[in-house]
Amino acid sequence: MTQTRFDVLTIGNAIVDIIAPVEPGFIEREGMKEGIMHLIDTDRAEDLYSKMPLTRQQISGGSAANTAAGVASLGGRAAFVGKVADDPLGDVFANDLDAIGVYYNTSRLKNGALTARSMIFLSEAERTMNTYLGACHQLTEADIRPDEIGGAAITYMEGFLWDPVEAKKAFVLAAHYAHKHERAAAFTLSDPFCVDRYRAEFLDLIRSKTIDYVFANVHELKSLYETDDLGTAVRAIAQDAELAAITMGAEGAMAVYNGEVVSVPAFPIDKVVDATGAGDLFASGFLLGMARGQNLESALKTGCLAASEVISHIGARPLLDLEDLSKQHGLA
Ligand code: GMP
């Protein structure tokens, strides 16, 4: 094996979150259901965007992109593959990755679809999301470069990529390139509903060893094996996967590797301000630990520490330098 160029390369939906508070009545007047995620088309996306107050905050998101940002903040060499358009929000997305030191070189989409955005309206009690997927759903095999994947110790992908047919092919091709270069391929189950849509295919990816490392929270894992009992689900994934990393919210996280099970508690924090990104940042720490050959316990602890930072504030990207934070806790 040659030397690696990246510790972790992630592939996923490239989305910008646009967050703004709205006055009472706005949600209802616009025909939205408060607290719910609505999928919207181009016209609706442009209309709603124009109605957002100028005080809106634009923060790049996307699950796998958040993970790459976390790896870079921890001091790792990170890369991201995902599709944005040649438009202002595409610039926001690329600039945010550049600013944190994530390598990002996917060609921009030029056929008219806009960069994906999730407009998040904050009312008194709820976050109401309106997500337009646009360009991010047009990732194809042509975006998967053997030299980039082959240069990454671990390639980590979102289960969400199974929604668009072309992205699914890109996912499988990336796993193939990773193995061709004797690297590891990992994926996250992403969401319990996503697991529901693709259960048989996800199990096949794991059992056929297309994927080496599986990331899941307890809801996703139980959904995969259609059981309410976590122990049953953990025994099943231990049989099927070489390595599984399972997040358990306030209970911490667990890794199962060749029959060995290691658990660590959650990193204590005063208050969970916004749980968005917890799983993404856990993955950053755990993946970087594995890429650097740390033991399971250290990798899990780095994951929990990174997660604790991102849930202490609004937004799914770290605000503190996670490398400094991990040094302070004796983990770097
Ligand atoms: O959900 C991913 C990770 O985020 C978990 O493994 C924990 O490390 C962390 N996490 C999630 N929810 C909580 C919580 O309520 N409290 C704390 N301290 N950590 C959490």
Side-chain angles (χ1 to χ4, degrees), residues 84 88 109 111 114 117 186 207 212 245 273 312:
V84 295
L109 189 74
N111 71 359
L114 304 173
R117 67 208 56 195
R207 290 176 178 156
D212 310 297
V273 174
S312 303

Side-chain angles (χ1 to χ4, degrees), residues 6-10 67-68 71 76-80 152-156 283-284 287-288 291:
F6 306 118
D7 296 305
V8 181
L9 179 149
T10 75
T67 299
V71 169
R77 296 164 304 155
F80 175 71
I154 307 174
T155 290
Y156 170 84
S284 310
L287 286 164
L288 185 60

Side-chain angles (χ1 to χ4, degrees), residues 81 147 203 212 280 290 310:
V81 175
D147 57 321
L203 282 170
D212 310 297
D280 306 338
M290 295 311 291
V310 87

